[in-house]
Short mmCIF file of all heavy atoms in Angstrom, two decimals:
data_model
loop_
_atom_site.label_atom_id
_atom_site.label_comp_id
_atom_site.label_asym_id
_atom_site.label_seq_id
_atom_site.Cartn_x
_atom_site.Cartn_y
_atom_site.Cartn_z
N PHE A 13 114.64 126.28 97.92
CA PHE A 13 115.92 125.96 98.58
C PHE A 13 115.77 124.60 99.23
O PHE A 13 114.66 124.05 99.33
CB PHE A 13 116.29 127.02 99.61
CG PHE A 13 115.44 127.01 100.85
CD1 PHE A 13 115.83 126.31 101.99
CD2 PHE A 13 114.24 127.71 100.89
CE1 PHE A 13 115.05 126.28 103.13
CE2 PHE A 13 113.44 127.70 102.03
CZ PHE A 13 113.84 126.99 103.15
N THR A 14 116.87 124.03 99.66
CA THR A 14 116.81 122.75 100.34
C THR A 14 117.78 122.71 101.51
O THR A 14 118.85 123.33 101.48
CB THR A 14 117.12 121.59 99.37
OG1 THR A 14 117.00 120.34 100.08
CG2 THR A 14 118.51 121.68 98.78
N THR A 15 117.39 121.96 102.53
CA THR A 15 118.30 121.69 103.64
C THR A 15 119.16 120.47 103.34
O THR A 15 120.05 120.13 104.12
CB THR A 15 117.50 121.45 104.92
OG1 THR A 15 116.50 120.44 104.67
CG2 THR A 15 116.79 122.73 105.37
N GLY A 16 118.88 119.81 102.20
CA GLY A 16 119.66 118.66 101.78
C GLY A 16 120.79 119.06 100.85
O GLY A 16 121.19 120.23 100.78
N GLU A 17 121.28 118.08 100.09
CA GLU A 17 122.47 118.30 99.27
C GLU A 17 122.18 118.63 97.82
O GLU A 17 123.06 119.06 97.09
CB GLU A 17 123.37 117.06 99.34
CG GLU A 17 123.90 116.77 100.74
CD GLU A 17 124.82 115.56 100.76
OE1 GLU A 17 124.95 114.91 99.70
OE2 GLU A 17 125.40 115.29 101.82
N LYS A 18 120.93 118.43 97.36
CA LYS A 18 120.66 118.59 95.93
C LYS A 18 119.26 119.12 95.68
O LYS A 18 118.31 118.73 96.35
CB LYS A 18 120.85 117.25 95.21
CG LYS A 18 120.72 117.32 93.69
CD LYS A 18 120.97 115.96 93.06
CE LYS A 18 120.85 116.04 91.54
NZ LYS A 18 121.08 114.71 90.90
N ILE A 19 119.15 120.02 94.68
CA ILE A 19 117.86 120.52 94.22
C ILE A 19 117.43 119.65 93.03
O ILE A 19 118.21 119.44 92.09
CB ILE A 19 117.95 121.98 93.76
CG1 ILE A 19 118.27 122.90 94.94
CG2 ILE A 19 116.66 122.42 93.07
CD1 ILE A 19 117.12 123.16 95.88
N PRO A 20 116.21 119.11 93.04
CA PRO A 20 115.75 118.32 91.90
C PRO A 20 115.75 119.14 90.62
O PRO A 20 115.56 120.36 90.65
CB PRO A 20 114.32 117.92 92.29
CG PRO A 20 114.29 118.03 93.78
CD PRO A 20 115.21 119.16 94.12
N GLU A 21 115.94 118.48 89.48
CA GLU A 21 116.04 119.18 88.20
C GLU A 21 114.77 119.09 87.36
O GLU A 21 114.71 119.64 86.26
CB GLU A 21 117.22 118.62 87.40
CG GLU A 21 118.56 118.82 88.09
CD GLU A 21 119.71 118.26 87.29
OE1 GLU A 21 119.45 117.65 86.23
OE2 GLU A 21 120.88 118.44 87.71
N GLY A 22 113.73 118.40 87.85
CA GLY A 22 112.51 118.24 87.08
C GLY A 22 111.77 119.55 86.87
O GLY A 22 111.82 120.46 87.71
N GLU A 23 111.08 119.68 85.75
CA GLU A 23 110.32 120.88 85.43
C GLU A 23 109.03 120.50 84.70
O GLU A 23 109.03 119.63 83.83
CB GLU A 23 111.15 121.82 84.56
CG GLU A 23 110.43 123.11 84.18
CD GLU A 23 111.31 124.07 83.41
OE1 GLU A 23 112.39 124.41 83.93
OE2 GLU A 23 110.91 124.47 82.30
N ILE A 24 107.94 121.14 85.08
CA ILE A 24 106.65 120.98 84.42
C ILE A 24 106.14 122.37 84.07
O ILE A 24 106.09 123.25 84.93
CB ILE A 24 105.63 120.25 85.31
CG1 ILE A 24 106.09 118.81 85.57
CG2 ILE A 24 104.24 120.26 84.69
CD1 ILE A 24 105.21 118.06 86.55
N SER A 25 105.77 122.58 82.81
CA SER A 25 105.31 123.91 82.39
C SER A 25 104.21 123.76 81.36
O SER A 25 103.99 122.69 80.78
CB SER A 25 106.47 124.73 81.81
OG SER A 25 107.02 124.08 80.68
N GLY A 26 103.50 124.84 81.11
CA GLY A 26 102.43 124.81 80.13
C GLY A 26 101.73 126.14 80.04
O GLY A 26 102.15 127.14 80.63
N LYS A 27 100.63 126.16 79.32
CA LYS A 27 99.83 127.37 79.13
C LYS A 27 98.36 127.00 79.25
O LYS A 27 97.91 126.00 78.67
CB LYS A 27 100.10 128.02 77.77
CG LYS A 27 99.43 129.37 77.58
CD LYS A 27 99.80 129.97 76.21
CE LYS A 27 99.34 131.42 76.11
NZ LYS A 27 97.87 131.54 76.12
N VAL A 28 97.62 127.80 79.99
CA VAL A 28 96.19 127.57 80.16
C VAL A 28 95.45 128.01 78.90
O VAL A 28 95.63 129.15 78.45
CB VAL A 28 95.66 128.34 81.38
CG1 VAL A 28 94.14 128.20 81.49
CG2 VAL A 28 96.34 127.84 82.65
N PRO A 29 94.65 127.15 78.28
CA PRO A 29 93.93 127.54 77.06
C PRO A 29 92.83 128.55 77.35
O PRO A 29 92.31 128.62 78.47
CB PRO A 29 93.33 126.21 76.57
CG PRO A 29 93.22 125.37 77.80
CD PRO A 29 94.40 125.75 78.66
N ASN A 30 92.51 129.35 76.36
CA ASN A 30 91.44 130.35 76.45
C ASN A 30 91.64 131.28 77.65
O ASN A 30 90.69 131.64 78.35
CB ASN A 30 90.07 129.66 76.55
CG ASN A 30 89.80 128.74 75.37
OD1 ASN A 30 90.07 129.10 74.22
ND2 ASN A 30 89.30 127.55 75.67
N PHE A 31 92.89 131.66 77.85
CA PHE A 31 93.21 132.49 79.01
C PHE A 31 92.82 133.94 78.76
O PHE A 31 93.07 134.50 77.69
CB PHE A 31 94.73 132.41 79.29
CG PHE A 31 95.19 133.27 80.43
CD1 PHE A 31 95.01 132.86 81.73
CD2 PHE A 31 95.81 134.49 80.19
CE1 PHE A 31 95.44 133.64 82.78
CE2 PHE A 31 96.24 135.28 81.25
CZ PHE A 31 96.05 134.85 82.54
N GLY A 32 92.19 134.56 79.76
CA GLY A 32 91.88 135.98 79.72
C GLY A 32 92.82 136.74 80.64
O GLY A 32 93.17 136.24 81.72
N GLN A 33 93.26 137.92 80.25
CA GLN A 33 94.27 138.64 81.02
C GLN A 33 93.80 139.01 82.42
O GLN A 33 94.62 139.27 83.30
CB GLN A 33 94.71 139.90 80.27
CG GLN A 33 95.55 139.59 79.04
CD GLN A 33 96.23 140.82 78.48
OE1 GLN A 33 95.94 141.94 78.88
NE2 GLN A 33 97.14 140.61 77.54
N LYS A 34 92.49 139.05 82.65
CA LYS A 34 91.98 139.37 83.98
C LYS A 34 91.78 138.13 84.84
O LYS A 34 91.39 138.23 85.99
CB LYS A 34 90.67 140.15 83.86
CG LYS A 34 90.83 141.53 83.25
CD LYS A 34 89.51 142.29 83.25
CE LYS A 34 89.67 143.69 82.67
NZ LYS A 34 88.39 144.44 82.67
N ASP A 35 92.03 136.95 84.26
CA ASP A 35 91.84 135.71 85.01
C ASP A 35 92.91 135.56 86.09
O ASP A 35 94.05 135.93 85.90
CB ASP A 35 91.93 134.49 84.08
CG ASP A 35 90.74 134.38 83.15
OD1 ASP A 35 89.72 135.04 83.42
OD2 ASP A 35 90.83 133.64 82.15
N ARG A 36 92.51 135.00 87.22
CA ARG A 36 93.44 134.59 88.28
C ARG A 36 93.31 133.08 88.38
O ARG A 36 92.29 132.56 88.84
CB ARG A 36 93.09 135.27 89.60
CG ARG A 36 93.16 136.79 89.57
CD ARG A 36 94.58 137.28 89.36
NE ARG A 36 95.46 136.93 90.46
CZ ARG A 36 95.55 137.61 91.61
NH1 ARG A 36 94.79 138.67 91.81
NH2 ARG A 36 96.39 137.24 92.55
N ILE A 37 94.30 132.36 87.95
CA ILE A 37 94.21 130.92 87.82
C ILE A 37 95.32 130.25 88.62
O ILE A 37 96.49 130.62 88.52
CB ILE A 37 94.30 130.49 86.34
CG1 ILE A 37 93.14 131.12 85.55
CG2 ILE A 37 94.28 128.97 86.21
CD1 ILE A 37 93.17 130.81 84.08
N LEU A 38 94.93 129.26 89.43
CA LEU A 38 95.88 128.49 90.22
C LEU A 38 96.15 127.16 89.54
O LEU A 38 95.23 126.50 89.04
CB LEU A 38 95.33 128.23 91.62
CG LEU A 38 95.06 129.46 92.49
CD1 LEU A 38 94.48 129.02 93.82
CD2 LEU A 38 96.32 130.27 92.69
N ILE A 39 97.41 126.75 89.53
CA ILE A 39 97.81 125.46 89.00
C ILE A 39 98.47 124.69 90.15
O ILE A 39 99.41 125.18 90.77
CB ILE A 39 98.82 125.58 87.85
CG1 ILE A 39 98.36 126.63 86.83
CG2 ILE A 39 99.05 124.22 87.20
CD1 ILE A 39 97.13 126.27 86.08
N GLY A 40 97.97 123.49 90.43
CA GLY A 40 98.53 122.69 91.50
C GLY A 40 99.06 121.37 91.00
O GLY A 40 98.60 120.85 89.97
N LEU A 41 100.04 120.82 91.69
CA LEU A 41 100.54 119.47 91.43
C LEU A 41 100.27 118.63 92.67
O LEU A 41 100.70 118.99 93.77
CB LEU A 41 102.04 119.47 91.13
CG LEU A 41 102.51 120.11 89.82
CD1 LEU A 41 104.01 119.96 89.70
CD2 LEU A 41 101.81 119.49 88.62
N ALA A 42 99.57 117.52 92.47
CA ALA A 42 99.21 116.65 93.58
C ALA A 42 99.92 115.31 93.44
O ALA A 42 100.14 114.82 92.33
CB ALA A 42 97.71 116.44 93.63
N THR A 43 100.26 114.72 94.57
CA THR A 43 100.85 113.39 94.60
C THR A 43 100.09 112.55 95.61
O THR A 43 99.25 113.05 96.35
CB THR A 43 102.33 113.44 95.01
OG1 THR A 43 102.43 114.06 96.30
CG2 THR A 43 103.14 114.24 94.02
N GLY A 44 100.39 111.27 95.62
CA GLY A 44 99.75 110.39 96.61
C GLY A 44 98.40 109.89 96.12
O GLY A 44 98.18 109.68 94.93
N GLU A 45 97.49 109.71 97.05
CA GLU A 45 96.16 109.18 96.74
C GLU A 45 95.32 110.27 96.10
O GLU A 45 95.14 111.35 96.66
CB GLU A 45 95.49 108.67 98.02
CG GLU A 45 96.27 107.56 98.71
CD GLU A 45 95.61 107.12 100.00
OE1 GLU A 45 94.46 107.53 100.24
OE2 GLU A 45 96.25 106.39 100.76
N TRP A 46 94.75 109.97 94.95
CA TRP A 46 94.01 110.96 94.19
C TRP A 46 92.51 110.77 94.30
O TRP A 46 91.78 110.79 93.33
CB TRP A 46 94.45 110.92 92.72
CG TRP A 46 95.87 111.26 92.52
CD1 TRP A 46 96.69 111.91 93.40
CD2 TRP A 46 96.68 110.98 91.38
NE1 TRP A 46 97.94 112.04 92.89
CE2 TRP A 46 97.98 111.48 91.64
CE3 TRP A 46 96.44 110.36 90.15
CZ2 TRP A 46 99.02 111.38 90.74
CZ3 TRP A 46 97.49 110.25 89.25
CH2 TRP A 46 98.76 110.76 89.54
N ARG A 47 92.02 110.56 95.49
CA ARG A 47 90.58 110.48 95.71
C ARG A 47 89.99 111.88 95.67
O ARG A 47 90.62 112.84 96.10
CB ARG A 47 90.27 109.84 97.06
CG ARG A 47 90.81 108.42 97.23
CD ARG A 47 90.22 107.79 98.48
NE ARG A 47 90.35 108.67 99.64
CZ ARG A 47 91.38 108.63 100.47
NH1 ARG A 47 92.38 107.80 100.25
NH2 ARG A 47 91.43 109.44 101.51
N PRO A 48 88.75 112.05 95.19
CA PRO A 48 88.14 113.38 95.10
C PRO A 48 88.09 114.12 96.43
O PRO A 48 88.20 115.34 96.47
CB PRO A 48 86.73 113.07 94.58
CG PRO A 48 86.88 111.78 93.83
CD PRO A 48 87.91 111.00 94.59
N ASP A 49 87.94 113.37 97.54
CA ASP A 49 87.81 114.04 98.83
C ASP A 49 89.15 114.37 99.47
O ASP A 49 89.19 114.97 100.55
CB ASP A 49 86.97 113.19 99.79
CG ASP A 49 87.64 111.85 100.09
OD1 ASP A 49 88.55 111.46 99.33
OD2 ASP A 49 87.25 111.21 101.07
N SER A 50 90.26 113.97 98.82
CA SER A 50 91.56 114.24 99.44
C SER A 50 92.56 114.82 98.46
O SER A 50 93.70 115.07 98.81
CB SER A 50 92.15 112.94 100.02
OG SER A 50 92.43 112.02 98.97
N LEU A 51 92.13 115.08 97.22
CA LEU A 51 93.06 115.49 96.17
C LEU A 51 93.81 116.76 96.52
O LEU A 51 95.03 116.83 96.46
CB LEU A 51 92.28 115.67 94.87
CG LEU A 51 93.09 115.88 93.60
CD1 LEU A 51 94.06 114.73 93.39
CD2 LEU A 51 92.16 116.01 92.41
N PHE A 52 93.07 117.80 96.93
CA PHE A 52 93.72 119.07 97.22
C PHE A 52 94.54 119.00 98.50
O PHE A 52 95.44 119.80 98.70
CB PHE A 52 92.68 120.18 97.30
CG PHE A 52 92.22 120.67 95.96
CD1 PHE A 52 91.21 120.02 95.28
CD2 PHE A 52 92.82 121.75 95.36
CE1 PHE A 52 90.79 120.45 94.04
CE2 PHE A 52 92.42 122.19 94.10
CZ PHE A 52 91.40 121.53 93.44
N GLY A 53 94.27 118.02 99.35
CA GLY A 53 95.08 117.85 100.55
C GLY A 53 96.43 117.25 100.25
O GLY A 53 97.31 117.25 101.11
N HIS A 54 96.64 116.75 99.02
CA HIS A 54 97.92 116.15 98.64
C HIS A 54 98.72 117.06 97.71
O HIS A 54 99.63 116.60 97.04
CB HIS A 54 97.70 114.80 97.97
CG HIS A 54 97.32 113.71 98.93
ND1 HIS A 54 96.03 113.54 99.38
CD2 HIS A 54 98.06 112.75 99.55
CE1 HIS A 54 95.99 112.52 100.21
NE2 HIS A 54 97.20 112.03 100.34
N LEU A 55 98.37 118.32 97.65
CA LEU A 55 99.13 119.24 96.81
C LEU A 55 100.58 119.31 97.28
O LEU A 55 100.85 119.49 98.46
CB LEU A 55 98.53 120.64 96.85
CG LEU A 55 97.25 120.87 96.05
CD1 LEU A 55 96.79 122.31 96.21
CD2 LEU A 55 97.47 120.57 94.58
#
């Protein structure tokens, strides 16, 4: 939801290769500075 006037229309989708049904897999999208020590902080 948004407190603004518009919801963005962009979409990113895919499938994890070699997926096992018992796997628990997280997919994140990061923006900003992509340094190894700060990557997950920019999710």
Side-chain angles (χ1 to χ4, degrees):
F13 71 94
T14 182
T15 53
E17 297 182 354
K18 185 178 180 181
I19 294 285
E21 298 180 356
E23 180 176 305
I24 295 175
S25 60
K27 187 178 190 294
V28 175
N30 303 316
F31 178 79
Q33 289 193 350
K34 293 184 179 180
D35 289 344
R36 299 294 296 278
I37 299 178
L38 298 178
I39 313 293
L41 291 182
T43 58
E45 300 178 11
W46 297 343
R47 300 191 310 268
D49 63 343
S50 65
L51 189 57
F52 281 85
H54 286 82
L55 284 179

